[in-house]
Amino acid sequence: MTTEPHKLDPVALLKGLVSLRRLTGLYPPGHPSIEQKLAELDDSVQRHIQLASALRLDVIHGSAHLDGVPFRQDSEAQAQILRELTDLGVDSIHIRRGVTRYELLALSEFLWQLKEAPSGEPIDIQLATRQIVHISLGRLVPLDTRWKTVQWPDGPTGPLDPSYELSLALTERTFDDVMTGRGIDLGTIREIVHLLIQKVAASNAALGQILAVKLYENLTYCHSVNVATLSLLIGKQLGFDATATAALAEAALLHDIGKTRIPLEILKKPSALDKRERKMMEAHTTYGAEILVEVDGLRPLTPTVALEHHRGIDGSGYPELGEAAGPHFLSQLVSVADIYEAMTGARSYQEPAMPEQACLVLARLAGTKLNTALVKAFVNAISFFPLGSVVRTDRDELGVVVRTVASEPLHPVIALIGADCQRVPGEVDTSIRLISGQYERHVVETLRPQEGLDINQFLVAS
Ligand SMILES: [Fe+2]
């Protein structure tokens, strides 16, 4: 039986390598699981090399290429495999004819150790000392993956909703005050909470700026204002009264205040954190609770939410509080908003996810880490194509979502984008149907906002 080189699935190969790498970290040498995975990997590599003399796997812009030909990847699981390699700083693996099973095993072990104890020695020397001579790894930069970082602006650019802008400024000052030891000013917190409830969460322009993809480095204070606003949408969906709403806004606004004690080089590190750094980062939850219990006049659940917002309903996450201690309902609510916000925001090493991708992640976490009812309430509140999303219709029109209707989550009202990114006057209701009952239009995809497009101009005009 022969396998044509172009039929080989590079993602399956990478997956084999990634799982072999994990197995070598988990089990002692010679364990049957390692042997079996190694035999499978060796088999597919050898078959390919017999025909093509070399096997070149490259990860370019997050997608797998086999011998220079891009390969389709469909699932989040596949993307995860690629990320696992690129997180290690590996974005190409070239295997030449003559490679032995031993070399594949040694490579897996090497990749495992790389994560825990990266060495400063050039990579080809490290491979050679392990007698790996038929494999080369490309662009391997342990501890430093800055080559692939993107410079995002430090905060939202362009004109903002005035109340949203003011909340951002006041929150930035609050975080600065805590960082420099001046403490929390209760009056300012009350002012921000009031603004968020009365103005920001009620403004379509502000919501559009928070819900859509955010093309800026998601600094803690922006993230906090955004999470508080998104939490308010869930609270509203659940019919929270005025007292519960105020408690929710305050807790969500201050949930990450503990990050003021985390060194900036860790907060803004342009690559994945190592074990020690991750531990330091995780401490922001306990730091937050410590800071907040000291402040007289805050609502009782505010420190609780800071402590628990990274804990899952199944007892997973951090800090370790024992399985019996399930997170408070308010903490569970803020977790949903927090995950969505973090995913749709940019980091130097992370492109922002589209709203629907972020919702799919929430759906996957529902029932284990997240409370299913809260995920549903959130997705219902923001609708399938949230305000501010740039979408394309099946008539090939581009538009910005300016209004959503709960009964028609897939058919929002959009304002069309004309020449020079200007708003075309009027609105298009994609939920309008023809006499036949068919929809006149369907939204077919969400797009990243193009350069020069001012979403705010679209939202304000509606
Ligand atoms: Fe957090």
Side-chain angles (χ1 to χ4, degrees), residues 255-256 259 284 309-310 338:
H255 78 282
D256 259 349
K259 286 199 178 158
H284 80 272
H309 70 276
H310 285 285
D338 185 24

Side-chain angles (χ1 to χ4, degrees), residues 419-445:
D420 302 329
C421 294
Q422 291 306 303
R423 185 187 196 281
V424 175
E427 290 172 353
V428 174
D429 185 349
T430 64
S431 72
I432 290 176
R433 294 173 191 249
L434 303 164
I435 299 168
S436 63
Q438 307 269 42
Y439 285 105
E440 240 176 47
R441 290 179 174 77
H442 291 285
V443 172
V444 287
E445 64 175 338

Side-chain angles (χ1 to χ4, degrees), residues 195-206:
L195 265 174
L196 292 176
I197 297 171
Q198 300 300 328
K199 300 280 173 60
V200 180
S203 150
N204 273 5

Side-chain angles (χ1 to χ4, degrees), residues 315-394:
S316 61
Y318 58 87
E320 186 57 65
L321 298 172
E323 260 177 44
H328 189 277
F329 184 73
L330 223 52
S331 310
Q332 296 178 23
L333 192 162
V334 172
S335 294
V336 174
D338 185 24
I339 294 175
Y340 176 89
E341 212 293 314
M343 287 196 64
T344 51
R347 299 298 307 272
S348 51
Y349 55 86
Q350 173 193 293
E351 288 266 319
M354 290 298 187
E356 66 268 26
Q357 293 170 311
C359 286
L360 284 174
V361 171
L362 295 181
R364 244 194 333 266
L365 296 174
T368 52
K369 198 169 158 43
L370 300 175
N371 178 325
T372 309
L374 290 170
V375 171
K376 277 189 188 158
F378 178 71
V379 176
N380 285 337
I382 70 166
S383 190
F384 196 83
F385 299 109
L387 280 171
S389 305
V390 177
V391 295
R392 190 169 65 80
T393 71
D394 54 357

